[in-house]
Amino acid sequence: MAPRSLLTWTGGGVRLVLGVGGDLPASLLSLRPAAQGPPPPEPVDGKAAAPLVEIQVLGHGRFPGSHRYADTTTGARLRYVRHTESADAGAAELRVEQADPLAGLAVTTVFRATEGVPAVRVWTTVTALGDRRVRLQAVTSVVTGAFLADSGRTLDETDVVHAESDWVAESRWRRTPLRDTAVVDIDTEAHHHPSRSRLAVASRSSWSTGERLPTGALVAGDDSWALAWQIEHNGAWLWEVGERRTGAYLALLGPTDAEHQWSTEVTADRGFTTVPVSLAVAAGGVDEAFAALTLQRRALRAGLPRELPVIFNDYMNTLMGDPTTAKLLPLIDAAAEAGAEYFCIDAGWYDEDGHWWDSVGEWRPSATRFPGGLSEVVAHIRDRGMVPGLWLEPEVVGVRSPMAERLPDEAFFQRYGARVVEHGRYHLDLRHPAARAHVDAVVDGLVAEFGVGFFKFDYNIMPGPGTDLGGTAPGEGLLAHNRAHLEWLDELLARHPGLLIENCASGAMRMDYAMLSRLHIQSTSDQQHPLLYPPIAAAAPASVLPEQAGNWAYTQPEMTVEESAFTLATGILGRLYLSGHLNRMDPAQLALVAEAVAVHKGLREEIAAAVPFWPLGLAGPGGPWVATGLRGAGETGDTLLTLWRRPGATAGLAVPVAHLRGAEVTPEVVFPGPGSGAADWTLAWDADEGVLRLASPESGPAATARVIRLRR
């Protein structure tokens, strides 16, 4: 028997320690920022550590039996074979190989880290040995219990931070002691068995963030340590936390058999690779954990275009899917005067009769809406110095669309030989060449004919568990389509490198970093009520880069100055996504919009280098005061805040800014500025406490907001 040993690897901005050998599976024992001190020692009893990989294999199962993705007999039988290290272009990679001869599997886990980023990306590949054919029912991307050893805390002293999400109710975060969740204390020693309980969080079908978010954190109760993660997949996934007989574990997975009707067969020539995940670590609490994850998200997008234009979109609280030449031309003029750089014609540009929902799929411009042709409108956008954009929902074909008959049945999702129908649409299967050829022809044709430089790619249906076409499990068909979708996006952007694409799925129902590592902007919500938007916009940077977070700013001519400032401020510290009936505004109203756009443009580079924090906390329901902040790069960077005062709020507020405690800073309102007609707010900085004290007028409006700079 080979002795148990420690494998220490420093890559990018992290140092990890694995336990290997000793007739035990490899285990991830420690994951720490490389700048931190040495990791804690391996537990004396190597069996206490969670296996690096858990694999549910048909015919092998778990021991003891449970619903958990722990205690799998295959995971327990894996044995370390070898490891290799490599480095290239600012990134380092570690590959750990294991095998289970009884199940007939070879397993490789890959860790990849970027220089200076306290995070690591991980995935696992499984192949069969010899002439075996092995049916997999679940494979973890990674498993670790390192968060307890690294934090020096017990399970009783650890909180979990996670979020629920829904249409127009996105990103609702909560922080809960683990012992108050399903991870119950049963006294495992008294029972001589591990617990069977778990906290399992899963999302189904192809709305990866339609119910819950694939992002979370385990945080020491005293905020001294945190481990954050994100599952980078545009389909079904699951993460879970559970207690072992000694210690605990976090398991991150893509689709599974039990939850998602997924399974696949592997051979020596046909392996399976899990969805990638990222783990980020911080010697701090929630803000520090998501700051580390923010740096990882930027690393995932390294080398991709960084254009950050202000986009006007005609949909939200404006044309609402009813564009015409007569309505668009004055709106285009007003958007240009306000400083927009792109103009997107949203839904309806292809509609002839007002009943387009279940007839979409050809994507040809309406002749009745645009008597002079869509090209007349697009030319006017370009003449006003803006880049034209169009809304498109490429993955669906309406049941009444001519394309439903022109494309073969095999180009669509199917179950039991029948096409899947959801909300009046068929779902294209992008594994099929006819489906790929159709969407390629649509996008390439619109780019060629109209010079489209921006697409809002929407996605408003879910196809259920997936497609069983070809005899696969439905979840396997869905996963293969998800991956084909990503390949299609990669090829599309390679053909059109200057094209910008918004990731929209009924707002933010597919807000994941499989998509966002490729696409340029994420709409954070379909929320139309300006008073309900701030908690969504404030929480969005926990899931998406601030510079990708498209927060709608849909001010209207009937709003007061303070109401307009409220909705415009919502967009300024993300990606200002402009809408509203600007063409109906008087000069003073349009000047306020132009001021917001100019302020945002002046802040874009700071936003794209900053990390988020939440002065009033990320978790919990949004109160009458809502706050979000961006911490500037480096020790001398300025701090930016957006503060929304909603109905029922007190006039004054103390805003903790812990990272500036002891620093001399000057607070100033950057929006709305003097001359806007907005009331003055009094700002005072308490350096000893690290608190910004503000006062807004006692008799002021029910809804108002300010964007504030704390200048070093």
Side-chain angles (χ1 to χ4, degrees):
M1 179 190 301
R4 187 74 166 170
S5 61
L6 298 181
L7 167 58
T8 301
W9 178 74
T10 301
V14 292
R15 178 188 291 110
L16 61 83
V17 178
L18 290 133
V20 297
D23 201 30
L24 291 168
S27 300
L28 179 55
L29 304 175
S30 176
L31 177 63
R32 301 167 69 85
Q36 294 291 318
E42 180 189 14
V44 175
D45 179 7
K47 294 181 180 180
L52 176 62
V53 181
E54 296 276 17
I55 308 178
Q56 183 75 14
V57 177
L58 186 64
H60 293 263
R62 307 172 179 90
F63 190 88
S66 71
H67 295 295
R68 307 190 329 165
Y69 294 99
D71 309 313
T72 64
T73 58
T74 301
R77 289 194 306 259
L78 288 173
R79 295 297 179 265
Y80 168 79
V81 175
R82 68 180 66 87
H83 74 274
T84 56
E85 302 179 31
S86 60
D88 63 85
E93 190 171 282
L94 170 68
R95 304 176 71 87
V96 179
E97 299 178 38
Q98 300 185 84
D100 173 15
L102 183 60
L105 294 176
V107 178
T108 300
T109 301
V110 182
F111 298 87
R112 188 167 179 84
T114 301
E115 189 65 35
V117 178
V120 63
R121 201 179 198 209
V122 196
W123 63 92
T124 293
T125 296
V126 182
T127 56
L129 298 171
D131 60 357
R132 302 281 192 96
R133 306 181 74 87
V134 182
R135 174 65 59 172
L136 308 178
Q137 296 174 294
V139 185
T140 61
S141 298
V142 70
V143 179
T144 183
F147 52 92
L148 293 185
D150 284 328
S151 69
R153 300 297 184 270
T154 67
L155 209 60
D156 296 335
E157 301 169 300
T158 303
D159 298 341
V160 62
V161 180
H162 61 106
E164 296 173 338
S165 196
D166 207 337
W167 182 63
V168 305
E170 297 84 352
S171 300
R172 304 189 313 277
W173 288 87
R174 62 178 66 184
R175 177 172 179 167
T176 310
L178 263 177
R179 287 301 193 199
D180 290 348
T181 71
V183 185
V184 295
D185 184 1
I186 65 164
D187 192 346
T188 57
E189 288 306 307
H191 293 87
H192 309 293
H193 273 285
S195 172
R196 311 291 175 89
S197 68
R198 63 173 181 162
L199 168 64
V201 176
S203 186
R204 300 169 293 169
S205 194
S206 53
W207 272 3
S208 59
T209 56
E211 296 176 287
R212 298 167 185 87
L213 298 187
T215 303
L218 289 165
V219 184
D222 62 358
D223 287 330
S224 61
W225 190 266
L227 170 70
W229 62 85
Q230 62 182 22
I231 301 173
E232 295 156 5
H233 180 46
N234 54 331
W237 52 263
L238 180 144
W239 61 260
E240 72 177 32
V241 180
E243 186 173 17
R244 295 173 56 78
R245 188 166 176 183
T246 302
Y249 72 92
L250 165 71
L252 306 177
L253 305 91
T256 67
D257 181 28
E259 283 82 8
H260 308 110
Q261 301 184 41
W262 174 90
S263 68
T264 194
E265 186 177 74
V266 295
T267 64
D269 299 324
R270 181 182 181 273
F272 170 72
T273 299
T274 67
V275 303
V277 303
S278 286
L279 298 170
V281 286
V286 173
D287 289 354
E288 290 78 10
F290 285 113
L293 207 49
T294 297
L295 299 180
Q296 174 70 349
R297 290 166 183 157
R298 291 199 176 109
L300 295 177
R301 292 187 51 76
L304 297 177
R306 288 190 71 257
E307 290 89 346
L308 304 171
V310 173
I311 301 163
F312 183 95
N313 182 297
D314 69 28
Y315 185 83
M316 187 65 75
N317 291 351
T318 309
L319 300 187
M320 298 296 292
D322 188 27
T324 65
T325 300
K327 293 176 181 178
L328 284 169
L329 294 183
L331 203 53
I332 291 165
D333 290 336
E337 291 176 28
E341 295 156 301
Y342 281 53
F343 189 102
C344 181
I345 302 170
D346 207 280
W349 56 269
Y350 38 77
D351 170 48
E352 296 288 4
D353 60 7
H355 302 285
W356 54 263
W357 181 264
D358 57 0
S359 64
V360 295
E362 276 196 299
W363 306 113
R364 296 304 306 155
S366 166
T368 57
R369 289 178 176 277
F370 310 110
L374 182 62
S375 56
E376 177 189 5
V377 178
V378 169
H380 194 65
I381 293 171
R382 197 172 288 110
D383 288 345
R384 292 308 310 259
M386 296 181 292
V387 175
L390 286 177
W391 179 93
L392 197 65
E393 195 170 356
E395 296 161 75
V396 302
V397 171
V399 295
R400 294 193 300 114
S401 172
M403 294 310 303
E405 300 301 323
R406 294 176 195 163
L407 291 169
D409 284 340
E410 294 77 14
F412 297 95
F413 275 38
Q414 295 186 34
R415 297 289 303 279
Y416 307 107
R419 289 187 190 182
V420 173
V421 178
E422 182 72 14
H423 203 171
R425 276 97 172 273
Y426 299 121
H427 196 294
L428 288 170
D429 186 340
L430 292 180
R431 297 176 298 173
H432 195 277
R436 290 276 277 269
H438 165 65
V439 291
D440 279 342
V442 168
V443 175
D444 293 349
L446 292 171
V447 171
E449 184 175 356
F450 300 108
V452 173
F454 172 81
F455 281 105
K456 175 182 176 178
F457 278 179
D458 211 340
Y459 182 62
N460 290 301
I461 71 166
M462 292 179 292
T467 174
D468 59 14
L469 185 65
T472 66
E476 183 181 14
L478 176 60
L479 176 60
H481 160 79
N482 293 147
R483 288 174 162 170
H485 180 213
L486 298 178
E487 291 172 1
W488 173 68
L489 289 172
D490 290 340
E491 293 170 3
L492 172 64
L493 290 168
R495 291 198 307 274
H496 306 288
L499 185 66
L500 299 189
I501 299 176
E502 174 189 341
N503 184 39
C504 179
S506 286
M509 301 293 94
R510 194 163 60 182
M511 185 169 59
D512 60 75
Y513 266 84
M515 300 294 287
L516 288 169
S517 63
R518 294 165 166 84
L519 305 185
H520 306 92
I521 178 175
Q522 170 70 58
S523 55
T524 58
S525 184
D526 272 357
Q527 177 56 252
Q528 292 178 242
H529 196 310
L531 291 178
L532 298 180
Y533 208 133
I536 297 170
S543 298
V544 58
L545 287 171
E547 62 268 28
Q548 288 182 286
N551 297 323
W552 289 94
Y554 36 54
T555 184
Q556 302 295 346
E558 62 271 17
M559 289 182 175
T560 66
V561 169
E562 294 287 3
E563 289 168 341
S564 289
F566 183 94
T567 187
L568 290 167
T570 299
I572 287 177
L573 292 191
R575 281 288 293 282
L576 182 65
Y577 204 7
L578 194 60
S579 196
H581 292 284
L582 307 189
N583 56 305
R584 301 179 187 172
M585 292 184 173
D586 63 35
Q589 291 173 319
L590 191 58
L592 184 62
V593 178
E595 179 191 343
V597 171
V599 168
H600 173 71
K601 287 179 177 178
L603 295 175
R604 284 188 292 203
E605 291 305 312
E606 288 183 70
I607 293 168
V611 295
F613 72 101
W614 294 271
L616 304 182
L618 171 64
W625 278 103
V626 178
T628 190
L630 293 177
R631 181 175 179 172
E635 292 299 318
T636 59
D638 290 349
T639 292
L640 299 167
L641 298 169
T642 301
L643 298 164
W644 294 268
R645 174 182 165 177
R646 300 197 293 173
T650 58
L653 183 68
V655 184
V657 188
H659 66 270
L660 291 179
R661 184 178 293 118
E664 293 301 323
V665 301
T666 301
E668 59 185 23
V669 173
V670 296
F671 178 81
S676 65
D680 290 334
W681 284 24
T682 301
L683 306 178
W685 173 246
D686 185 334
D688 291 338
E689 296 293 328
V691 169
L692 173 68
R693 304 188 190 282
L694 64 86
S696 59
E698 289 279 359
S699 59
T704 184
R706 297 293 182 269
V707 180
I708 294 168
R709 179 188 294 276
L710 301 179
R711 188 182 298 278
R712 291 272 189 172

Short mmCIF file of all heavy atoms in Angstrom, two decimals, residues 281-305:
data_model
loop_
_atom_site.label_atom_id
_atom_site.label_comp_id
_atom_site.label_asym_id
_atom_site.label_seq_id
_atom_site.Cartn_x
_atom_site.Cartn_y
_atom_site.Cartn_z
N VAL A 281 -11.86 31.75 -3.16
CA VAL A 281 -11.64 31.76 -1.71
C VAL A 281 -11.23 33.16 -1.26
O VAL A 281 -10.64 33.93 -2.01
CB VAL A 281 -10.57 30.74 -1.29
CG1 VAL A 281 -11.13 29.34 -1.36
CG2 VAL A 281 -9.32 30.84 -2.16
N ALA A 282 -11.56 33.45 0.00
CA ALA A 282 -11.25 34.77 0.54
C ALA A 282 -11.14 34.70 2.05
O ALA A 282 -11.89 33.96 2.70
CB ALA A 282 -12.34 35.79 0.16
N ALA A 283 -10.19 35.43 2.60
CA ALA A 283 -10.08 35.57 4.05
C ALA A 283 -10.98 36.73 4.47
O ALA A 283 -10.54 37.82 4.82
CB ALA A 283 -8.63 35.84 4.46
N GLY A 284 -12.27 36.49 4.42
CA GLY A 284 -13.26 37.51 4.73
C GLY A 284 -14.64 36.93 4.63
O GLY A 284 -14.83 35.71 4.70
N GLY A 285 -15.63 37.80 4.45
CA GLY A 285 -17.01 37.38 4.43
C GLY A 285 -17.61 37.38 3.04
O GLY A 285 -16.93 37.13 2.04
N VAL A 286 -18.90 37.68 2.97
CA VAL A 286 -19.65 37.60 1.72
C VAL A 286 -19.07 38.54 0.67
O VAL A 286 -18.84 38.14 -0.49
CB VAL A 286 -21.13 37.93 1.97
CG1 VAL A 286 -21.89 38.01 0.65
CG2 VAL A 286 -21.76 36.89 2.88
N ASP A 287 -18.80 39.79 1.04
CA ASP A 287 -18.29 40.75 0.06
C ASP A 287 -16.96 40.29 -0.52
O ASP A 287 -16.73 40.38 -1.74
CB ASP A 287 -18.13 42.13 0.70
CG ASP A 287 -19.46 42.79 1.01
OD1 ASP A 287 -20.50 42.24 0.63
OD2 ASP A 287 -19.45 43.86 1.66
N GLU A 288 -16.08 39.80 0.32
CA GLU A 288 -14.76 39.36 -0.15
C GLU A 288 -14.88 38.13 -1.03
O GLU A 288 -14.15 37.98 -2.02
CB GLU A 288 -13.84 39.08 1.04
CG GLU A 288 -13.39 40.31 1.81
CD GLU A 288 -14.46 40.87 2.76
OE1 GLU A 288 -15.50 40.17 2.96
OE2 GLU A 288 -14.30 41.98 3.29
N ALA A 289 -15.81 37.23 -0.70
CA ALA A 289 -16.00 36.02 -1.51
C ALA A 289 -16.46 36.37 -2.91
O ALA A 289 -15.94 35.85 -3.91
CB ALA A 289 -17.02 35.10 -0.83
N PHE A 290 -17.44 37.27 -3.02
CA PHE A 290 -17.93 37.61 -4.34
C PHE A 290 -16.97 38.55 -5.08
O PHE A 290 -16.99 38.60 -6.32
CB PHE A 290 -19.34 38.19 -4.25
CG PHE A 290 -20.37 37.12 -3.97
CD1 PHE A 290 -21.05 37.08 -2.77
CD2 PHE A 290 -20.63 36.15 -4.91
CE1 PHE A 290 -21.97 36.08 -2.50
CE2 PHE A 290 -21.56 35.15 -4.67
CZ PHE A 290 -22.23 35.10 -3.45
N ALA A 291 -16.13 39.27 -4.36
CA ALA A 291 -15.06 40.02 -5.02
C ALA A 291 -14.10 39.06 -5.70
O ALA A 291 -13.67 39.28 -6.84
CB ALA A 291 -14.32 40.90 -4.01
N ALA A 292 -13.74 37.97 -5.01
CA ALA A 292 -12.86 36.96 -5.60
C ALA A 292 -13.51 36.32 -6.82
O ALA A 292 -12.86 36.09 -7.85
CB ALA A 292 -12.50 35.91 -4.56
N LEU A 293 -14.81 36.05 -6.73
CA LEU A 293 -15.51 35.44 -7.86
C LEU A 293 -15.61 36.43 -9.02
O LEU A 293 -15.59 36.03 -10.20
CB LEU A 293 -16.90 34.99 -7.41
CG LEU A 293 -17.55 33.82 -8.16
CD1 LEU A 293 -16.62 32.64 -8.31
CD2 LEU A 293 -18.83 33.41 -7.44
N THR A 294 -15.71 37.71 -8.72
CA THR A 294 -15.71 38.74 -9.77
C THR A 294 -14.41 38.70 -10.56
O THR A 294 -14.41 38.78 -11.80
CB THR A 294 -15.92 40.13 -9.14
OG1 THR A 294 -17.20 40.17 -8.51
CG2 THR A 294 -15.85 41.23 -10.19
N LEU A 295 -13.28 38.58 -9.87
CA LEU A 295 -12.00 38.50 -10.56
C LEU A 295 -11.94 37.25 -11.44
O LEU A 295 -11.38 37.27 -12.54
CB LEU A 295 -10.85 38.48 -9.55
CG LEU A 295 -10.74 39.72 -8.65
CD1 LEU A 295 -9.56 39.57 -7.69
CD2 LEU A 295 -10.59 40.99 -9.48
N GLN A 296 -12.50 36.14 -10.96
CA GLN A 296 -12.52 34.92 -11.76
C GLN A 296 -13.37 35.10 -13.02
O GLN A 296 -13.01 34.63 -14.10
CB GLN A 296 -13.06 33.76 -10.92
CG GLN A 296 -13.26 32.46 -11.68
CD GLN A 296 -11.98 31.78 -12.11
OE1 GLN A 296 -10.90 32.36 -12.02
NE2 GLN A 296 -12.09 30.56 -12.57
N ARG A 297 -14.49 35.80 -12.90
CA ARG A 297 -15.34 36.02 -14.08
C ARG A 297 -14.59 36.86 -15.13
O ARG A 297 -14.70 36.60 -16.33
CB ARG A 297 -16.64 36.72 -13.65
CG ARG A 297 -17.56 35.81 -12.86
CD ARG A 297 -18.66 36.55 -12.15
NE ARG A 297 -19.47 35.62 -11.36
CZ ARG A 297 -20.20 35.94 -10.32
NH1 ARG A 297 -20.26 37.22 -9.92
NH2 ARG A 297 -20.88 35.03 -9.66
N ARG A 298 -13.84 37.83 -14.68
CA ARG A 298 -13.05 38.62 -15.64
C ARG A 298 -11.98 37.75 -16.28
O ARG A 298 -11.68 37.90 -17.47
CB ARG A 298 -12.44 39.84 -14.95
CG ARG A 298 -13.48 40.87 -14.55
CD ARG A 298 -12.91 42.25 -14.31
NE ARG A 298 -14.02 43.17 -14.02
CZ ARG A 298 -14.27 43.71 -12.82
NH1 ARG A 298 -13.46 43.46 -11.79
NH2 ARG A 298 -15.30 44.51 -12.65
N ALA A 299 -11.39 36.84 -15.52
CA ALA A 299 -10.39 35.93 -16.09
C ALA A 299 -11.02 35.05 -17.16
O ALA A 299 -10.39 34.75 -18.18
CB ALA A 299 -9.77 35.08 -14.98
N LEU A 300 -12.27 34.61 -16.95
CA LEU A 300 -12.94 33.77 -17.93
C LEU A 300 -13.19 34.53 -19.24
O LEU A 300 -13.30 33.91 -20.30
CB LEU A 300 -14.27 33.26 -17.38
CG LEU A 300 -14.21 32.32 -16.17
CD1 LEU A 300 -15.61 31.97 -15.70
CD2 LEU A 300 -13.42 31.06 -16.50
N ARG A 301 -13.29 35.85 -19.15
CA ARG A 301 -13.56 36.67 -20.34
C ARG A 301 -12.30 37.30 -20.92
O ARG A 301 -12.37 38.08 -21.86
CB ARG A 301 -14.55 37.78 -19.99
CG ARG A 301 -15.95 37.27 -19.66
CD ARG A 301 -16.93 38.41 -19.49
NE ARG A 301 -16.89 39.36 -20.59
CZ ARG A 301 -17.43 39.17 -21.78
NH1 ARG A 301 -18.05 38.03 -22.04
NH2 ARG A 301 -17.34 40.08 -22.72
N ALA A 302 -11.13 36.94 -20.39
CA ALA A 302 -9.88 37.55 -20.85
C ALA A 302 -9.70 37.31 -22.35
O ALA A 302 -9.92 36.22 -22.86
CB ALA A 302 -8.71 36.96 -20.08
N GLY A 303 -9.34 38.38 -23.05
CA GLY A 303 -9.11 38.28 -24.48
C GLY A 303 -10.34 38.54 -25.33
O GLY A 303 -10.23 38.66 -26.56
N LEU A 304 -11.52 38.63 -24.71
CA LEU A 304 -12.74 38.90 -25.47
C LEU A 304 -12.96 40.41 -25.58
O LEU A 304 -12.41 41.19 -24.79
CB LEU A 304 -13.94 38.25 -24.78
CG LEU A 304 -13.89 36.73 -24.70
CD1 LEU A 304 -15.09 36.21 -23.92
CD2 LEU A 304 -13.86 36.10 -26.09
N PRO A 305 -13.75 40.87 -26.55
CA PRO A 305 -13.99 42.32 -26.72
C PRO A 305 -14.53 42.96 -25.45
O PRO A 305 -15.34 42.36 -24.73
CB PRO A 305 -15.02 42.37 -27.85
CG PRO A 305 -14.82 41.10 -28.61
CD PRO A 305 -14.42 40.08 -27.60
#
